[in-house]
Amino acid sequence: MKMLHRTLVASALVLATAAPAVQAQTLIVGFTRDADTLDPANHRNRETETIIRNIHDGVVTRSSDMMIHPEIAESFTQVSPTVYDFVIRAGVKFHDGTEMTIDDVKFTFDRLLNEGGMGDGQTSPRGALLGPVESVEIVEGNTLRFTLSEPWPLLPAMLPHQQIVSKAHVEAVGSTALATDPVGTGPFRLAEWRRGESVVMERFDDYYGGAPGIPEAGPACVERVIFQVIPESASRVAALLSGDVHIINELPPFSMNQVANSPNTEVMTVNGTRSFFLAMNNQGDIFDDVRVRHAVAHAIDRDLIIDRILNGTASRIDGILSPDAFGKNHDLPAYEFDPERSRALLAEAGYPDGISVTLDTTGPMRDIAEAIAALLTNAGINTQVQVGEGTLMNQKWQTRGGPKEGDMFLSSWGNSTLDPFDIFGPTHGTDARGNSAGYSNPELDALLDAAAVELDRARRGEMYREAEAMASADLPYVYLWVPQDIYGVSTRLSNWSPSPDSRINLHRACLD
Amino acid sequence: MSVTRLIERLLQLVPVLLGVSVIVFVMMALTPGDPVEIMIGDQLVTPEQEERMRRDLGLDRPMVERYFVFLGNALQFDFGTSFYHRRPVSDVIIERLPATIELTLMAMIIALVTAIPLGVLAAVKKNSIFDRIATVGSLLGVSLPGFWFGILLLMLFAVQLNLLPVAGRVAYEHGVTVRPITHFLLIDSLIQGQFAAFRNALAHIILPAITLGLPMTAILMRVTRTAMLEVLRADYITFAEAKGLNRQRILWRHALKNALIPTVTVAAMETGSLLGGNMIVETVFGWPGLGRLVVESIFVRNYPLVQAAVLLYAVTYVLLNFLADILYTVLNPRVKL
């Protein structure tokens, strides 16, 4: 064995000189997952979109403070409640050197919206992200008109999720080949995609500069960008610490100190957009009583869990919306930690000796579920944790109005636009997709339906604040926190900051 | 071994593969979880669009119909379109296969090259300090979770010593210099004389191969030791010694050849389990192989990809056993197929 050990060390030393020399102008991102495809219209995956977004630009984009900026569009205006006009910029080039025209933009949206628009009878899975958009037509010169079947204030916030492709290229190669051979207008063009290993991009020197509303427009700062796939978080941390990569996503809270204490790396955080909550089965015999639900809320010390398990990297919430979301109600009752109050509420509800319940969750949230179970048990709510695969748990709980078994489910829902529309309705609407609690309140349904199409922004915000107050009183869920997205970065990196929607845009990032 | 017998053995593969295809199809189809639901997650969707996606993926057809369509296509080597990659499953798998095979072979080589000499040595020096250390070492080798051992190696060789890279098969600037011929980077770079790329690829593969090969090394060493001890007690060895033959010659020519039979069996079986071990090692080292792809595909219920990959694993496993059978006849002419 000694000999083996010596051989290993010796071989490692021989290979030492072969360790990759990181070139000054190659920015490498240690990333959790490979792209599924590089066709912007043919996936439903956030990580895939993050990679694609560096190759393709959209009509509009978001800055890291979540503001919407025109990108391929010069400007846009809302003509009527259901009509938006986008003026498309001139002088934008595709990576193959051809000029982008308004026809390409129209083609992109037709491909997304039309049944069978992808060719071979296939329809884009991203069409529904355009909500009630009915048609996209060229009205005059460089103006593209979006016509909606009903008012939808979310349109500008959802448009960054769609990227422009070249009509001529798609027609020449077809949708299947486009998956590996993209031609976009973005700051980087694809150099090589080594499936499962890395996506390598090179600076596109004819780049028009991107959104003028975000400073330092122009071609990208670095010459080459590599998304290196490293699914395991401990290995991503190792790659950052060893200098192999310059940015890593999903840095686990327990590795923050290690990264912060290393002289060449630092931690960057940004408020995320995903709300975590504890769904209680509102249709069950125990949790149909609002007093029991309130008892659960008072039994959980959210600050303690945020502090001890999440290393302080989450913002506590008292309603479903993130503190940064539009329409957030900042005056909701806090349901402070008070186990005595929990016991009193249980007794009042007819359970003087407490209750016994199960708490379902998935593997990654086991620690938190165990902590919550301990706190609940301490307050007379005797809780057993059951861990299951995410898909199975979602199927058990997201029954869309169907009968539901189980008592509690620790889960979350994303809200990448920070607009209440795509989180409030899906989690609180009667029989909605993500309504794990099985909650139903016709009054709240009506309010959410009205808010979805309300065009007066102030009035709309007011409606969501009212909706949050309503939900907070009924408390179908215990609202827990919105975690921060945590990144580890090299100190050589500049001009980059993480974005709340988890995208890693590298157009402006520089390396020393 | 006659050619007819060989063909007969190969034909026996057909019912096995048919059985595997039914099992994998039914298991995937009956596993709870709707691929469309998983794909959409918590993003916006309308019920109509979900229905359309289901139709586009062919999930609206009854299961029996789906099986026969799958089987009919599979016979023509068409395994359908990956739900996620939106490209033919065979393309997606073939892209990832060379990396997995290269890693598996490397792990096997490391295991065989270290395990057999160590096993022989342990047998010869039975009950010595060396034997005891080897015993403890092999126990550790089998028991250490690959996941943990891999991270430990990374912490030491990548972070502390900064000697070896963490993830991938080769650095981009080296990779571009190698034209894919066999798709095995080590071989391609070598035959093209790209020695910098070869060294870089070797630096990338060494840690994952050691991690993957460790349990196999440990098991093979134990098997070789036991088999060797048995053979060394045999009459013909005593006879050889009595004849005054050179000790080394007895050990390596006469004893080892017979002792290798169980080692070959176990090595063939273990190569099958290396394919399983790949999934973990590929995740830890960001290795672009098939194992990781299959695990990810199971989680997201990417039916066509999982079905094709499991069929491929089954074929490989059966062929490896077949190969071991043939090797017996070479090692020991008394054994007949």
Side-chain angles (χ1 to χ4, degrees), chain B residues 44-102:
Chain B
L44 279 185
V45 76
T46 59
E48 298 76 51
Q49 203 198 8
E50 278 190 283
E51 224 22 74
R52 209 163 49 200
M53 285 174 75
R54 214 159 271 132
R55 210 167 53 229
D56 279 358
L57 300 179
L59 293 168
D60 57 334
R61 321 298 306 167
M63 199 170 97
V64 177
E65 184 185 328
R66 269 162 42 208
Y67 174 72
F68 283 107
V69 170
F70 160 72
L71 196 64
N73 290 338
L75 287 175
Q76 302 161 48
F77 293 98
D78 171 7
F79 295 96
T81 304
S82 162
F83 290 171
Y84 279 75
H85 308 86
R86 303 289 174 126
R87 288 185 293 130
V89 159
S90 43
D91 287 4
V92 178
I93 288 181
I94 286 169
E95 282 162 9
R96 306 286 281 264
L97 205 52
T100 285
I101 295 178
E102 192 170 38

Side-chain angles (χ1 to χ4, degrees), chain A residues 301-381:
Chain A
D301 189 348
R302 290 168 288 175
D303 294 332
L304 180 79
I305 296 175
I306 291 173
D307 187 43
R308 297 288 166 83
I309 301 183
L310 300 173
N311 211 1
T313 57
S315 311
R316 185 177 135 167
I317 47 174
D318 296 310
I320 188 72
L321 299 179
S322 148
D324 301 329
F326 168 72
K328 176 69 189 175
N329 186 336
H330 292 282
D331 302 314
L332 296 170
Y335 295 102
E336 293 297 350
F337 175 58
D338 186 353
E340 285 315 309
R341 175 108 184 88
S342 294
R343 285 178 194 281
L345 280 164
L346 285 178
E348 207 179 297
Y351 303 106
D353 301 325
I355 52 176
S356 283
V357 290
T358 55
L359 167 56
D360 288 344
T361 192
T362 53
M365 285 198 266
R366 177 198 285 264
D367 290 356
I368 290 169
E370 296 284 359
I372 289 177
L375 287 162
L376 289 175
T377 303
N378 184 44
I381 304 163

Side-chain angles (χ1 to χ4, degrees), chain A residues 207-388:
Chain A
Y207 187 53
Y208 64 96
I214 311 173
E216 296 179 58
C221 183
V222 292
E223 283 161 17
R224 189 185 295 143
V225 156
I226 299 177
F227 279 86
Q228 178 85 42
V229 181
I230 314 178
E232 165 53 37
S233 57
S235 310
R236 275 200 309 286
V237 173
L240 179 73
L241 293 176
S242 69
D244 284 6
V245 303
H246 309 105
I247 300 178
I248 58 169
N249 69 334
E250 292 189 23
L251 176 68
F254 54 81
S255 298
M256 284 173 75
N257 287 342
Q258 196 183 6
V259 170
N261 292 337
S262 161
N264 302 320
T265 58
E266 58 191 355
V267 175
M268 285 181 112
T269 58
V270 64
N271 287 341
T273 55
R274 179 166 286 273
S275 297
F276 281 72
F277 44 76
L278 186 69
M280 294 168 281
N281 185 354
N282 285 227
Q283 300 163 353
D285 295 339
I286 300 175
F287 290 112
D288 61 349
D289 188 329
V290 68
R291 288 170 297 190
V292 181
R293 302 200 293 267
H294 283 190
V296 172
H298 282 297
I300 302 175
D301 189 348
R302 290 168 288 175
D303 294 332
L304 180 79
I305 296 175
I306 291 173
D307 187 43
R308 297 288 166 83
I309 301 183
L310 300 173
N311 211 1
T313 57
S315 311
R316 185 177 135 167
I317 47 174
D318 296 310
I320 188 72
L321 299 179
S322 148
D324 301 329
F326 168 72
K328 176 69 189 175
N329 186 336
H330 292 282
D331 302 314
L332 296 170
Y335 295 102
E336 293 297 350
F337 175 58
D338 186 353
E340 285 315 309
R341 175 108 184 88
S342 294
R343 285 178 194 281
L345 280 164
L346 285 178
E348 207 179 297
Y351 303 106
D353 301 325
I355 52 176
S356 283
V357 290
T358 55
L359 167 56
D360 288 344
T361 192
T362 53
M365 285 198 266
R366 177 198 285 264
D367 290 356
I368 290 169
E370 296 284 359
I372 289 177
L375 287 162
L376 289 175
T377 303
N378 184 44
I381 304 163
N382 193 9
T383 308
Q384 287 285 325
V385 174
Q386 288 180 352
V387 181

Side-chain angles (χ1 to χ4, degrees), chain B residues 74-183:
Chain B
L75 287 175
Q76 302 161 48
F77 293 98
D78 171 7
F79 295 96
T81 304
S82 162
F83 290 171
Y84 279 75
H85 308 86
R86 303 289 174 126
R87 288 185 293 130
V89 159
S90 43
D91 287 4
V92 178
I93 288 181
I94 286 169
E95 282 162 9
R96 306 286 281 264
L97 205 52
T100 285
I101 295 178
E102 192 170 38
L103 179 59
T104 306
L105 287 179
M106 194 68 180
M108 244 180 87
I109 292 170
I110 291 179
L112 288 173
V113 165
T114 48
I116 294 176
L118 286 178
V120 171
L121 227 58
V124 173
K125 304 190 174 198
K126 192 183 157 204
N127 293 335
S128 68
I129 287 283
F130 173 80
D131 186 25
R132 273 154 217 231
I133 292 175
T135 306
V136 174
S138 73
L139 187 69
L140 273 177
V142 180
S143 335
L144 289 181
F147 177 80
W148 180 81
F149 183 64
I151 302 234
L152 219 64
L153 287 181
L154 279 183
M155 283 300 161
L156 178 64
F157 288 104
V159 180
Q160 294 299 327
L161 303 174
N162 213 352
L163 289 175
L164 297 170
V166 172
R169 261 180 109 187
V170 68
Y172 173 71
E173 57 272 24
H174 290 298
V176 285
T177 63
V178 182
R179 214 159 14 90
I181 300 172
T182 63
H183 291 270

